[in-house]
Amino acid sequence: MRDRGTCMRFGGKLGLTFASVFIALALCEVAVRLMDNMPVWSAQNFGRRNPSFLDVTRPAEFDAMLGWRHRANLGPELLRSNGLVTGEHGTRMNTREIRPLPQEAILAVGDSFTAGSEVVEHETYPAQLENLLGRAVINAGVGGYGSDQMILSAYRLVPILNPRLLVVGILDDDINRAGYKLYGGARKPWFTVSAGKLVHHNDPVPLPTEPIDREPHWLGHSYLALWTASRLGHDHLIRFRVPQ
């Protein structure tokens, strides 16, 4: 009888714990839907709502080789609306002044960490590196880039800028992105390995107007799951059932 009573009490506590977690998650689900003006009682798969870098990032434009890039010569007068100042080839300036790109500088390519997401021009690491070394550093980082796009960008810019040194800023997830057909909802080049060699796909990258065949993960029915994954930089895992 004692063992049975113990099991019943344990089962009751376990049930209460699960119920508490469920209620907490449900309240969070409602809260984030209200916060982002999403329908509260809808059972739709929010993963089908697929804004891309080209839709939501003002400085971005389509690029047939890279998928997307920064628009060139975005002046400081547009700073409030686009968030950064760019010069030739969409490179981010290290100050709020657009200056010609020097030859034989240090060229930095990478993702949003290199580009300096959410910081002003002089706070990016290429700008800080320029100040530390006393040598010109060109910031060619672009948000969302995988390692493949970084290298392709370098192949394009090196013959033009003739840099003395190339810095490639790679984070671990950037390597995974090289196998994705899409990232952030935008098409990109992607690579597979065949017979020990890299095979370049989406060369050129299809136009944004061409339809995308995709099937979102079932977790997309939870806007909370998509909201959380988006802030961790992995919303593509929910928007697409298999890596794209």
Side-chain angles (χ1 to χ4, degrees), residues 175-198:
I175 299 172
N176 295 330
R177 296 176 196 173
Y180 294 158
K181 301 175 185 177
L182 302 113
Y183 188 76
R187 288 184 172 91
K188 62 179 291 296
W190 60 289
F191 288 81
T192 56
V193 178
S194 178
K197 295 182 179 180
L198 285 175

Side-chain angles (χ1 to χ4, degrees), residues 172-173 176-177 180 183 225-226 228-239:
D172 55 352
D173 190 53
N176 295 330
R177 296 176 196 173
Y180 294 158
Y183 188 76
L226 182 61
T228 303
S230 177
R231 278 145 185 79
L232 294 174
H234 295 290
D235 57 309
H236 56 283
L237 298 178
I238 292 180
R239 296 189 186 279

Side-chain angles (χ1 to χ4, degrees), residues 62-80:
F62 173 73
D63 185 282
M65 183 174 77
L66 302 171
W68 62 90
R69 65 186 177 197
H70 291 155
R71 289 186 287 131
N73 299 313
L74 293 172
E77 68 277 4
L78 300 175
L79 189 64
R80 289 186 178 181

Side-chain angles (χ1 to χ4, degrees), residues 2-79:
R2 182 179 298 176
D3 290 341
R4 183 179 178 183
T6 301
C7 289
M8 291 181 65
R9 287 193 297 272
F10 176 77
K13 292 179 179 179
L14 187 63
L16 181 61
T17 299
F18 278 120
S20 300
V21 170
F22 177 81
I23 293 172
L25 289 175
L27 291 174
C28 289
E29 178 78 31
V30 171
V32 295
R33 290 191 184 197
L34 289 173
M35 183 173 63
D36 287 356
N37 295 316
M38 293 295 172
V40 174
W41 307 115
S42 174
Q44 66 177 287
N45 192 316
F46 291 96
R48 296 185 186 278
R49 305 167 69 98
N50 191 43
S52 78
F53 282 107
L54 296 172
D55 300 322
V56 301
T57 307
R58 291 182 180 271
E61 66 179 1
F62 173 73
D63 185 282
M65 183 174 77
L66 302 171
W68 62 90
R69 65 186 177 197
H70 291 155
R71 289 186 287 131
N73 299 313
L74 293 172
E77 68 277 4
L78 300 175
L79 189 64

Side-chain angles (χ1 to χ4, degrees), residues 56-202:
V56 301
T57 307
R58 291 182 180 271
E61 66 179 1
F62 173 73
D63 185 282
M65 183 174 77
L66 302 171
W68 62 90
R69 65 186 177 197
H70 291 155
R71 289 186 287 131
N73 299 313
L74 293 172
E77 68 277 4
L78 300 175
L79 189 64
R80 289 186 178 181
S81 62
N82 65 55
L84 51 81
V85 176
T86 65
E88 297 175 82
H89 312 292
T91 56
R92 188 173 191 186
M93 296 289 95
N94 294 334
T95 68
R96 295 191 179 187
E97 178 185 354
I98 297 178
R99 300 175 180 177
L101 300 181
Q103 294 285 307
E104 299 187 350
I106 297 172
L107 175 63
V109 297
D111 60 7
S112 57
F113 183 78
T114 300
S117 176
E118 299 183 4
V119 300
V120 296
E121 276 64 32
H122 70 274
E123 293 177 336
T124 67
Y125 95 69
Q128 297 292 315
L129 184 62
E130 181 174 274
N131 291 333
L132 287 171
L133 299 181
R135 189 180 292 273
V137 179
I138 299 172
N139 184 349
V142 177
Y145 268 14
S147 56
D148 51 349
Q149 293 160 294
M150 300 174 196
I151 301 305
L152 289 173
S153 177
Y155 270 105
R156 171 185 284 174
L157 293 174
V158 165
I160 299 172
L161 301 174
N162 191 30
R164 294 177 61 90
L165 181 68
L166 174 66
V167 178
V168 182
I170 299 179
L171 304 180
D172 55 352
D173 190 53
D174 299 338
I175 299 172
N176 295 330
R177 296 176 196 173
Y180 294 158
K181 301 175 185 177
L182 302 113
Y183 188 76
R187 288 184 172 91
K188 62 179 291 296
W190 60 289
F191 288 81
T192 56
V193 178
S194 178
K197 295 182 179 180
L198 285 175
V199 180
H200 187 175
H201 304 273
N202 276 359

